[in-house]
Amino acid sequence: MTSDRTTPTTPTPPANPPLTRKARRRNRIVAVTGLTSVWVLLWGTLSWANVISGLVLSVVLLAVFPLPPVTFAGRIRPLPLARFWVRFLRDLVVASAQIAWLAVRFGQPPLSAIIAVPLRVNTDLNLTLTAEALSLVPGSLIIEADRATGTLYVHIIGVRSREEVERFRQGVLDLEGRIVAAIGSPEELSRVTQPHPAGPPEPAHLEGAPR
């Protein structure tokens, strides 16, 4: 005797559910704001012409070259965002003065180093914003970004010891913390406020140092 009853199956939800209209609109606003900010920073002058041209260029880029949707799970916090900009402008001025001094001073050429900095929040948005902020400050340049591990490989100039290299590495983590505090989600914010995992850092390669 056979039974005609079958066990009902529950449909499996898609792995990547489609974004709602509100989420898509918010992501577009974030993308346009980020691209416009980068455009103004590249010009180095805050003016209505640069802001308007950046907005137009951002809209055209997103329309002509649509990117895969990047989920923005955080929220914009005005006070931490203002703190980020104040500290970024300060670092920009200080680094410019230091590079100018290295260019005119006498003596041995400055040492440089390539260091690996694993970020604590491994998302495309955080990786991109941290890399852009580092590259805009004179004296540091991103040579590779490992998306799988969330690691930035940074070339820096003007270091004299491994202690200074480690201070720069910590400075990158502090920069990441300011970015996450400004626009990150509560879960991302908890990651950057916790102590960094213990363990010896990856050694840096000092270029020009005596063997």
Side-chain angles (χ1 to χ4, degrees):
M1 181 175 181
T2 60
S3 174
D4 295 334
R5 291 182 301 174
T6 58
T7 302
T9 58
T10 302
T12 304
N16 295 312
L19 296 176
T20 63
R21 180 178 301 178
K22 181 179 179 181
R24 289 197 301 269
R25 186 184 304 114
R26 183 182 64 172
N27 288 350
R28 291 193 191 102
I29 293 174
V30 171
V32 169
T33 303
L35 289 173
T36 303
S37 301
V38 172
W39 176 260
V40 173
L41 288 172
L42 290 174
W43 278 102
T45 303
L46 179 61
S47 65
W48 283 111
N50 288 339
V51 172
I52 294 174
S53 61
L55 287 172
V56 173
L57 182 62
S58 301
V59 172
V60 171
L61 285 176
L62 292 176
V64 178
F65 304 103
L67 299 175
V70 177
T71 303
F72 176 68
R75 62 188 183 91
I76 298 177
R77 303 177 181 88
L79 186 56
L81 184 61
R83 290 173 181 165
F84 164 78
W85 281 111
V86 170
R87 179 58 184 271
F88 175 77
L89 294 175
R90 172 187 173 275
D91 292 344
L92 196 63
V93 173
V94 172
S96 299
Q98 291 174 343
I99 295 300
W101 168 246
L102 290 176
V104 300
R105 74 179 181 90
F106 296 98
Q108 295 181 348
L111 299 178
S112 58
I114 298 175
I115 66 173
V117 185
L119 301 182
R120 292 160 292 185
V121 177
N122 186 10
T123 63
D124 290 343
L125 183 61
N126 183 63
L127 195 70
T128 301
L129 292 179
T130 306
E132 289 286 351
L134 277 174
S135 296
L136 290 171
V137 175
S140 58
L141 180 66
I142 303 297
I143 60 175
E144 185 180 351
D146 190 339
R147 182 182 180 188
T149 62
T151 302
L152 294 178
Y153 294 88
V154 193
H155 181 274
I156 57 177
I157 190 172
V159 292
R160 292 169 292 184
S161 64
R162 296 191 181 274
E163 288 75 17
E164 290 187 356
V165 170
E166 295 309 317
R167 281 200 296 270
F168 183 88
R169 195 194 307 269
Q170 183 59 47
V172 175
L173 296 177
D174 293 341
L175 171 63
E176 178 198 18
R178 290 192 294 273
I179 291 175
V180 173
I183 63 170
S185 65
E187 191 272 336
E188 293 171 347
L189 190 58
S190 67
R191 291 191 206 174
V192 299
T193 53
Q194 293 175 355
H196 198 264
E202 184 173 340
H205 172 59
L206 290 176
E207 299 178 350
R211 303 280 181 181

